Amino acid sequence: MISACPACWANFLNFFCTFTCSPNQSTFLNVTDTALSTDKKPVVTKLDFLVSDQYGSGFYDSCKDVKFAATNGYVMDLIGGGAKNWREMVAFMGREREPLGSPFQIDFPVQDPTGELKPFEGVTRQCNDTDVQRISNKDLIGFEPVTRHDEDDDEDSRHLLDPDLYTSRYFVSALLQEWFYHQGYLCAKYAWRTIGICFGLVAFFSLGWSRFGVETDPVKLWVAPDSISATQKAIFDQNFGPFYRTAQVIMSYKDEKSPIVDEQSFKRLFMINDHIKALTTERGATLADICFHPTGDECVIQSPTGYWQDDISQFSDSWKDEFEGCTSNPADCLPEFQQPLKPDIILGGFDGEDYSSAKAFIITYVIQNSVDNKITEIAHEWELRYLEFMDDLVNDRVDGIRTEDLRISYSSESSLEIELNKSSNTDVRTVILSYLVMFLYASLALGRFQTDSLRRMVIDSKFTLGMSGIFIVLASISTSVGIFSFLGYKITLIIAEVIPFLVLAVGVDNIFILCHEFERRKMDHPEETIEECAGRTLGRMGPSILLSALSETLAFALGGMVTMPAVSVFAMYAAMAVWVDFLLQVTAFVSCIALDAQRTEEDRVDCIPCIEIHAPQAIDTEGTLPAWVRKYYGPLILNSSVKRIIIAAFIGLLTLGLCLMPNLEIGLDQRLALPNDSYMVQFFNDLDNYFRVGPPVYFVVQDVDATTRHGQQQICARFSTCSDLSIANVLEQERKRPQVSYIEQPASVWIDDFLHWLNPAIETCCRFRKDDPTTPCGPWDDEDECNICYADKDPGWNISMNGLPEGKEFMTYLGEWLKATPDEYCPLAGKAAYGDAIKLNQAGDRVKMSHFRTYHTPMRNQHDFIAGYKSAHRIADQVSKETGATVFPYSVFYIFFEQYVGIISLTLRLLIMAMVSVGLVTAGILGSTNVALVVVGVVAMIMVDVVGAMVLMGVSLNAISLVNLVICVGISVEFCSHIARATVEAEGSPDERVFGALIEVGSSVFSGITLTKFLGIFVLAFTRSKIFEVYYFRMYLAIVIVGALHGLVLLPVLLSFIQNEKTSSFSLGSLGWSLGNGYGSRRQRSGRLLQGNDSSDEEDEEVRDTVAHELPRSQSSNTNSTGRR
């Protein structure tokens, strides 16, 4: 404020520096009162300062007419309380009044109260003096006088005047600045050579694209090869064969209210079924060639028409009575594959057992699955043909079948993969458009435009420079993909869709920071060469770019330690891409900046540098955003009252996030991954509405010798001597509490059915020919020619199991039972139901393993699937513990839901490791533990608030959102690291350092990462894919908004409470370039260093106004009142 008058300023400094530091203090100061400090040391609380009338009057006269434009008044109103003479002025200054006055009482007596003091009689400067010192206002608001030196003064004085030549306080930062200065200088000097070398290396590493591959197998994406579910699935597939494929049709009326059980619907269903069975592929394969047929040649088709053997000729006028009888007793109406059709499997939308009121028919075609790819390829071809037919059927294009009044939904085993690929192809256009918008913005926003001169505009444009920065981002991605493709890691859709977004977020931020710093540097130091300017730019910004890049790289690299393939591969790709992007930006992009600066100096047109035009001289003006930050935003958030409001608001957000976190749902609904208009969405909806049976679950039992009585008792249920805790008994007990066990159907217990097959009371089951006891009798053999099993045995067949077969006899009967085909005479025969349920050892004399099939309750949502998975494993563990057998559950969906059992702990582990790495890197590079803790704390708060936003926006936790949360750590570091380092490197009070940092890099962070991401995210809102809308648009929107608020609002406020830490100094005298100690001391719009006579009076006035206006006076005056005044 008072620097507008050098005389007043000099007298002010002389007055208080003499008061503080003069060796003759004892001649004019007298301590009149003391007290004990908080650490029990005596401190001064009151003293007398005897000043001569001559000095006091001179001091007052030099300051009384200094104007303060902001209030249309005088500086004396602020520093002297409107004093009318010098005694009123110093009395006001000495009044104890924190934080706006003196920290202790200073009295200025008229007479010496002790009789031993001499008045201070220094020399005062007057406004008309011609030799008044020019004052360097260090950090703009400090109070250290620096004497002006002439141009030919020694090098040491130049170090004082130029902060870029001053040694950094922290040796690591100083070394990095020194390194980056030389690197930037060389890259700018040998620009084309640097660019050639960099992109030669990019081309070399990109050769790995020759081994490029995309992983689309969901199992290989989301399941670790050594996971429990993967291991158990491999055991099941190896011993019992892979779970079968299915094609399903759900047919109802469009009004969804009318019962479907009528004659017309049945006849149409017969015709649809006949058409589907007749479908033929180009290879000539039909359903009969690929279907699952356990009892012979008849396919397993679960359809209401199965009650009439799928033969419309058997469908008579009495169909209603037949339908009621079949639904009441399905065993009386066996389909062609000779297994009862339970109404719950083929009908939907009925109440209780009123099957005639069913709203939907459910038809399931069971198709043989295999580990042989040739067999599955044939099945896949037939499924494609089936999908074509169903599309024609739904659109009423099948002759003879009218469907305009029907709602038909359908699916096949191949449907989901086909629709997901279709979704990805649709999303590609949206993603590319999003990136193009961000590319265009970044390229245009870097330039400075003088709207009054078109010629100047085409010169000052930075479109080519912006595109070179974007090209560097793409080159880093290409390098990462090339390296890992060469190593055999296939890319995933998540990598293809997310990593460009991530690297662009990091890269564009650094592009803006480097370009803005270079422009400020050229404006403030026009005497520097392009090479020097580039070197000093990188020397100043390189360490903060390294800080963010190293933090992100380590955070992502730690993510590569997880076992989920999609996440670990993404983490490796991301870590490499971010690090390569950093290397290219501090080398090739610096060269591009130098070439662009050279083009601008030569007045060459952007994009067409071969054309040189004459244009008006460029006007160096401060950008709109930095000016807004300097004039309005910075002073606002650093106001003490506003600080309290900000901290309270963000604590409230943190509390809200913590309260919402327990409500975060887990899982990924398949419907979200599909296009909004996909036929599969309707199918999943109808499946939820009508299908009353959950997925089958198999309890696989190993290490039980079923040839012994003890082994039989460990697995049976329908005999009196069965163990109370046998597998069959436990499953039956769990079935009775489906709300806990998620098991609804009685288990298929092969040992019970087998032993009851031996019961002689069932005369048509176990029979052997009298003339050949090794040959079983058929259903039409005369009973006189056959012996009934166990009819004459002693002890005979009984419920206590005493006398039932063991050892070799057991295996003999078992073999015959597994060959027997069930029919109406003997439904207990084992071929259909248990042909693939029992695996014998190589010798065939023991049961190696077997499974017990039951069904889960209907799974309506992700919670049900996860709970069902957990419950089945709980049951298996319980049985294993009680029986000593090895038991594990298997269902087709388990392999995908295992990840959710430990996903919360995995998420916490990943994020904690990422934040710890961020903290360690930040502390190591900045040398400030307090700042590192603040940065980590802010990143943690961002994570909590983003998770809270996920709950509010309906985003569940799964592998995709987990990847996005890891990305959130990286983007959060971008929001925080640059401002944190700018604050640490600055000088002055905490508020002054933060204020300088906001002006220096805050606007670049906002215009770089925040606005760029907003534009890209806005485009994602128009995607057709629900998964993109939920997991990319919503999550990225939350990440950018929450990250920007915390990084640009909360972080500066928290940093303003951290005192400047005293770290060890490190002399770089032996190195080539000694660097400055802060952002705050740079000659810039927020406070330019006054060198020589190069500052006009207008610039001086601007600096003075800046000092007075930029920070709230409550902060700017509270700067070591006794030490630096």
Side-chain angles (χ1 to χ4, degrees):
M1 293 185 289
I2 59 178
S3 62
C5 176
C8 176
W9 181 224
N11 291 334
F12 187 92
L13 294 176
N14 184 45
F15 181 82
F16 282 103
C17 288
T18 301
F19 166 80
T20 306
C21 306
S22 172
N24 301 318
Q25 282 179 329
S26 61
T27 63
F28 49 81
L29 295 180
N30 178 47
V31 177
T32 58
D33 198 6
T34 61
L36 293 178
S37 66
T38 55
D39 56 356
K40 306 302 181 182
K41 294 181 179 179
V43 293
V44 174
T45 59
K46 188 176 182 181
L47 56 74
D48 290 337
F49 185 7
L50 192 61
V51 181
S52 68
D53 188 75
Q54 173 194 1
Y55 185 90
S57 297
F59 184 10
Y60 174 79
D61 292 338
S62 68
C63 296
K64 66 180 181 180
D65 294 323
V66 178
K67 297 178 181 179
F68 184 43
T71 61
N72 297 110
Y74 294 89
V75 166
M76 190 58 65
D77 296 335
L78 302 176
I79 68 171
K84 303 301 182 183
N85 54 62
W86 76 271
R87 289 198 176 277
E88 291 180 2
M89 177 185 73
V90 296
F92 182 86
M93 291 181 179
R95 188 178 306 161
E96 182 179 2
R97 188 174 63 252
E98 292 189 14
L100 301 177
S102 174
F104 51 88
Q105 180 64 33
I106 306 175
D107 294 325
F108 297 86
V110 178
Q111 301 293 333
D112 175 19
T114 65
E116 300 177 359
L117 302 179
K118 295 181 180 180
F120 170 61
E121 296 182 347
V123 177
T124 58
R125 298 288 184 174
Q126 300 303 313
C127 293
N128 58 354
D129 284 0
T130 58
D131 60 341
V132 177
Q133 296 172 329
R134 292 296 297 261
I135 306 299
S136 173
N137 182 15
K138 184 168 182 58
D139 292 341
L140 289 182
I141 311 177
F143 301 96
E144 299 180 5
V146 180
T147 304
R148 177 190 171 194
H149 291 265
D150 294 330
E151 299 277 343
D152 57 352
D153 278 351
D154 58 24
E155 187 69 17
D156 291 339
S157 351
R158 286 206 318 111
H159 287 190
L160 291 174
L161 288 171
D162 190 350
D164 287 329
L165 299 179
Y166 195 84
T167 303
S168 176
R169 293 174 292 109
Y170 180 51
F171 76 95
V172 173
S173 182
L175 284 173
L176 290 175
Q177 289 175 339
E178 180 74 18
W179 170 268
F180 281 117
Y181 165 73
H182 289 295
Q183 178 176 306
Y185 184 91
L186 292 175
C187 290
K189 185 175 182 180
Y190 305 103
W192 286 113
R193 191 177 305 176
T194 301
I195 293 174
I197 292 173
C198 288
F199 287 98
L201 292 173
V202 169
F204 172 76
F205 287 115
S206 296
L207 294 176
W209 279 76
S210 60
R211 300 187 180 182
F212 175 81
V214 179
E215 186 60 78
T216 58
D217 186 349
V219 175
K220 294 181 180 179
L221 285 176
W222 309 117
V223 182
D226 57 348
S227 70
I228 295 175
S229 292
T231 303
Q232 293 172 348
K233 180 181 184 300
I235 294 174
F236 187 92
D237 291 350
Q238 182 180 359
N239 291 277
F240 307 113
F243 193 78
Y244 43 75
R245 306 166 72 96
T246 60
Q248 285 187 297
V249 179
I250 301 177
M251 190 174 85
S252 61
Y253 281 114
K254 285 186 177 179
D255 60 13
E256 300 183 23
K257 296 179 181 179
S258 302
I260 196 70
V261 182
D262 58 49
E263 183 176 358
Q264 183 184 20
S265 297
F266 266 116
K267 289 182 177 180
R268 283 189 284 188
L269 183 57
F270 274 110
M271 289 188 286
I272 292 172
N273 194 34
D274 290 341
H275 275 76
I276 290 176
K277 288 196 290 185
L279 293 175
T280 306
T281 68
E282 292 182 359
R283 299 189 190 185
T286 63
L287 178 61
D289 299 317
I290 63 170
C291 70
F292 179 60
H293 35 70
T295 60
D297 295 331
E298 302 301 333
C299 296
V300 175
I301 302 176
Q302 297 173 334
S303 167
T305 59
Y307 289 146
W308 295 273
Q309 300 282 303
D310 292 326
D311 186 357
I312 194 171
S313 63
Q314 297 185 30
F315 187 75
S316 62
D317 293 338
S318 59
W319 67 269
K320 289 186 179 179
D321 295 334
E322 294 169 354
F323 177 78
E324 291 179 1
C326 291
T327 53
S328 299
N329 189 8
D332 292 340
C333 304
L334 293 179
E336 291 181 304
F337 63 95
Q338 297 299 301
Q339 287 293 296
L341 288 170
K342 296 181 179 180
D344 288 348
I345 296 177
I346 58 176
L347 300 172
F350 54 86
D351 297 322
E353 295 184 357
D354 184 12
Y355 302 117
S356 297
S357 66
K359 305 297 189 301
F361 290 149
I362 303 172
I363 307 94
T364 303
Y365 300 90
V366 183
I367 300 172
Q368 184 71 44
N369 205 350
S370 174
V371 294
D372 187 345
N373 290 333
K374 293 181 180 180
I375 296 177
T376 56
E377 284 178 7
I378 297 174
H380 177 69
E381 290 179 7
W382 184 88
E383 288 165 357
L384 295 179
R385 181 69 186 90
Y386 158 81
L387 293 176
E388 292 177 6
F389 168 77
M390 293 306 302
D391 183 61
D392 291 338
L393 181 68
V394 169
N395 292 284
D396 203 17
R397 295 194 296 262
V398 178
D399 294 338
I401 305 178
R402 187 174 56 85
T403 60
E404 69 273 6
D405 59 335
L406 296 178
R407 172 188 172 95
I408 300 176
S409 56
Y410 58 95
S411 77
S412 72
E413 195 73 16
S414 304
S415 293
L416 194 58
E417 183 176 351
I418 293 172
E419 290 299 295
L420 288 176
N421 290 335
K422 185 186 298 184
S423 174
S424 299
N425 294 334
T426 301
D427 294 331
V428 165
R429 293 191 294 271
T430 305
V431 173
I432 291 176
L433 179 61
S434 174
Y435 290 145
L436 288 177
V437 169
M438 291 188 284
F439 291 169
L440 184 63
Y441 164 76
S443 300
L444 295 176
L446 288 175
R448 294 180 298 121
F449 301 104
Q450 293 179 216
T451 55
D452 57 340
S453 173
L454 180 61
R455 292 190 173 190
R456 191 73 248 168
M457 186 182 299
V458 297
I459 293 174
D460 290 341
S461 168
K462 303 293 182 186
F463 185 82
T464 303
L465 181 61
M467 289 306 299
S468 68
I470 300 302
F471 185 76
I472 284 174
V473 170
L474 299 178
S476 65
I477 297 171
S478 176
T479 302
S480 179
V481 173
I483 291 174
F484 286 107
S485 294
F486 179 80
L487 295 176
Y489 293 93
K490 290 185 178 181
I491 198 171
T492 67
L493 293 178
I494 287 183
I495 293 175
E497 294 163 348
V498 175
I499 284 188
F501 194 92
L502 168 66
V503 181
L504 192 64
V506 176
V508 169
D509 192 22
N510 295 337
I511 288 171
F512 273 80
I513 286 174
L514 287 172
C515 288
H516 289 172
E517 174 64 19
F518 184 85
E519 290 299 317
R520 281 194 293 262
R521 182 97 210 156
K522 289 296 294 180
M523 184 172 64
D524 294 342
H525 297 277
E527 75 283 356
E528 290 183 350
T529 65
I530 291 176
E531 291 81 5
E532 290 174 335
C533 188
R536 295 183 188 277
T537 295
L538 190 60
R540 183 171 295 279
M541 293 303 179
S544 65
I545 295 176
L546 172 64
L547 168 61
S548 62
L550 187 58
S551 299
E552 292 155 1
T553 301
L554 287 178
F556 294 140
L558 289 172
M561 298 169 58
V562 304
T563 58
M564 191 182 298
V567 176
S568 61
V569 173
F570 160 79
M572 292 188 294
Y573 271 87
M576 179 64 71
V578 168
W579 186 248
V580 172
D581 182 61
F582 160 72
L583 294 177
L584 291 176
Q585 284 186 328
V586 297
T587 51
F589 188 68
V590 173
S591 300
C592 293
I593 291 176
L595 292 174
D596 186 75
Q598 183 179 352
R599 175 195 62 79
T600 304
E601 287 188 354
E602 296 173 357
D603 288 344
R604 296 185 180 275
V605 178
D606 188 26
C607 300
I608 316 175
C610 57
I611 299 178
E612 182 177 349
I613 61 175
H614 297 287
Q617 184 65 31
I619 302 174
D620 291 336
T621 58
E622 185 179 23
T624 302
L625 190 56
W628 180 80
V629 171
R630 176 175 59 81
K631 293 179 180 179
Y632 306 108
Y633 181 70
L636 174 65
I637 67 169
L638 293 178
N639 180 278
S640 57
S641 299
V642 175
K643 284 183 186 180
R644 290 192 289 268
I645 295 174
I646 289 173
I647 291 175
F650 278 92
I651 290 176
L653 282 177
L654 177 64
T655 304
L656 177 62
L658 291 172
C659 293
L660 290 172
M661 284 180 71
N663 298 319
L664 181 64
E665 294 187 357
I666 298 174
L668 174 61
D669 191 335
Q670 296 179 93
R671 279 166 282 206
L672 294 179
L674 299 168
N676 293 331
D677 56 353
S678 172
Y679 66 87
M680 289 293 290
V681 174
Q682 177 179 309
F683 172 77
F684 284 129
N685 291 336
D686 288 347
L687 199 66
D688 285 348
N689 291 333
Y690 297 125
F691 205 44
R692 300 166 65 99
V693 178
V697 54
Y698 302 86
F699 287 87
V700 179
V701 179
Q702 305 176 76
D703 304 326
V704 173
D705 187 358
T707 64
T708 66
R709 184 72 66 235
H710 175 75
Q712 296 167 6
Q713 292 169 344
Q714 294 300 312
I715 58 176
C716 69
R718 290 159 59 185
F719 295 89
S720 60
T721 57
C722 293
S723 171
D724 291 339
L725 296 176
S726 69
I727 177 65
N729 277 328
V730 170
L731 290 177
E732 177 60 21
Q733 294 303 315
E734 294 289 352
R735 181 189 69 82
K736 296 177 180 178
R737 52 172 192 167
Q739 69 280 3
V740 175
S741 65
Y742 289 86
I743 291 177
E744 187 175 53
Q745 300 289 336
S748 298
V749 183
W750 66 268
I751 188 70
D752 286 343
D753 284 352
F754 165 57
L755 294 179
H756 276 81
W757 178 76
L758 297 173
N759 189 349
I762 309 175
E763 299 178 349
T764 56
C765 281
C766 182
R767 300 189 305 164
F768 287 87
R769 296 187 64 83
K770 293 180 179 180
D771 56 354
D772 184 5
T774 61
T775 302
C777 291
W780 307 109
D781 288 336
D782 192 291
E783 60 183 19
D784 294 334
E785 298 176 356
C786 300
N787 286 326
I788 299 175
C789 300
Y790 277 78
D792 301 321
K793 194 163 185 177
D794 184 27
W797 193 96
N798 59 84
I799 201 69
S800 67
M801 302 183 73
N802 185 26
L804 291 185
E806 296 182 79
K808 185 176 180 180
E809 182 185 21
F810 177 90
M811 296 304 301
T812 300
Y813 281 122
L814 179 66
E816 296 301 329
W817 176 67
L818 292 175
K819 296 176 185 177
T821 301
D823 53 29
E824 63 270 24
Y825 301 102
C826 183
L828 292 178
K831 182 176 181 179
Y834 303 107
D836 61 353
I838 300 171
K839 179 69 173 179
L840 306 182
N841 62 3
Q842 288 185 344
D845 58 357
R846 287 186 61 186
V847 175
K848 177 183 176 182
M849 67 176 65
S850 61
H851 66 62
F852 295 75
R853 184 182 70 250
T854 182
Y855 287 85
H856 279 298
T857 55
M859 301 295 184
R860 305 300 186 194
N861 51 53
Q862 299 295 291
H863 173 269
D864 290 346
F865 281 105
I866 297 170
Y869 172 90
K870 291 180 178 179
S871 176
H873 280 79
R874 173 187 59 79
I875 295 169
D877 292 341
Q878 175 186 343
V879 173
S880 297
K881 182 179 179 181
E882 296 293 340
T883 64
T886 301
V887 182
F888 69 83
Y890 170 76
S891 188
V892 67
F893 71 87
Y894 284 177
I895 195 168
F896 301 111
F897 283 84
E898 180 188 355
Q899 59 179 296
Y900 300 120
V901 174
I903 196 169
I904 294 179
S905 60
L906 172 63
T907 302
L908 292 175
R909 187 166 67 251
L910 265 180
L911 298 183
I912 290 174
M913 288 193 302
M915 286 187 285
V916 168
S917 66
V918 168
L920 293 176
V921 172
T922 303
I925 291 181
L926 299 186
S928 172
T929 304
N930 290 339
V931 171
L933 291 175
V934 169
V935 170
V936 172
V938 171
V939 171
M941 292 178 69
I942 292 174
M943 302 307 302
V944 171
D945 290 344
V946 167
V947 172
M950 288 171 60
V951 176
L952 295 176
M953 296 187 297
V955 181
S956 58
L957 179 62
N958 49 54
I960 298 175
S961 53
L962 173 56
V963 168
N964 287 338
L965 287 176
V966 176
I967 288 177
C968 182
V969 175
I971 294 180
S972 299
V973 171
E974 282 296 315
F975 278 117
C976 299
S977 61
H978 301 295
I979 293 177
R981 182 178 180 273
T983 301
V984 170
E985 292 296 314
E987 286 292 332
S989 70
D991 283 337
E992 295 161 3
R993 291 187 286 115
V994 171
F995 182 69
L998 283 173
I999 297 174
E1000 194 77 29
V1001 296
S1003 58
S1004 298
V1005 171
F1006 180 77
S1007 59
I1009 184 172
T1010 309
L1011 294 183
T1012 304
K1013 292 300 114 192
F1014 263 126
L1015 291 174
I1017 291 168
F1018 176 75
V1019 176
L1020 291 179
F1022 299 97
T1023 180
R1024 289 175 54 207
S1025 172
K1026 195 70 175 177
I1027 196 170
F1028 256 76
E1029 191 233 317
V1030 173
Y1031 289 99
Y1032 293 106
F1033 171 69
R1034 295 183 191 177
M1035 277 203 73
Y1036 286 175
L1037 184 65
I1039 289 171
V1040 172
I1041 292 178
V1042 173
L1045 287 175
H1046 283 76
L1048 297 175
V1049 180
L1050 178 62
L1051 179 66
V1053 170
L1054 296 179
L1055 291 175
S1056 70
F1057 291 101
I1058 299 179
Q1059 294 297 325
N1060 216 351
E1061 297 180 55
K1062 298 300 180 182
T1063 53
S1064 59
S1065 297
F1066 182 73
S1067 176
L1068 296 178
S1070 60
L1071 300 178
W1073 189 59
S1074 298
L1075 293 166
N1077 58 349
Y1079 291 81
S1081 58
R1082 291 199 55 227
R1083 176 183 166 135
Q1084 53 183 326
R1085 284 289 176 182
S1086 62
R1088 294 185 174 180
L1089 183 68
L1090 306 181
Q1091 291 185 340
N1093 295 316
D1094 64 344
S1095 296
S1096 65
D1097 291 341
E1098 293 180 359
E1099 289 179 318
D1100 293 347
E1101 186 67 28
E1102 181 184 359
V1103 172
R1104 296 184 191 106
D1105 289 345
T1106 301
V1107 174
H1109 289 292
E1110 304 308 343
L1111 288 176
R1113 291 190 298 273
S1114 61
Q1115 284 100 25
S1116 63
S1117 62
N1118 186 24
T1119 308
N1120 293 334
S1121 299
T1122 63
R1124 299 184 62 193
R1125 295 186 62 170

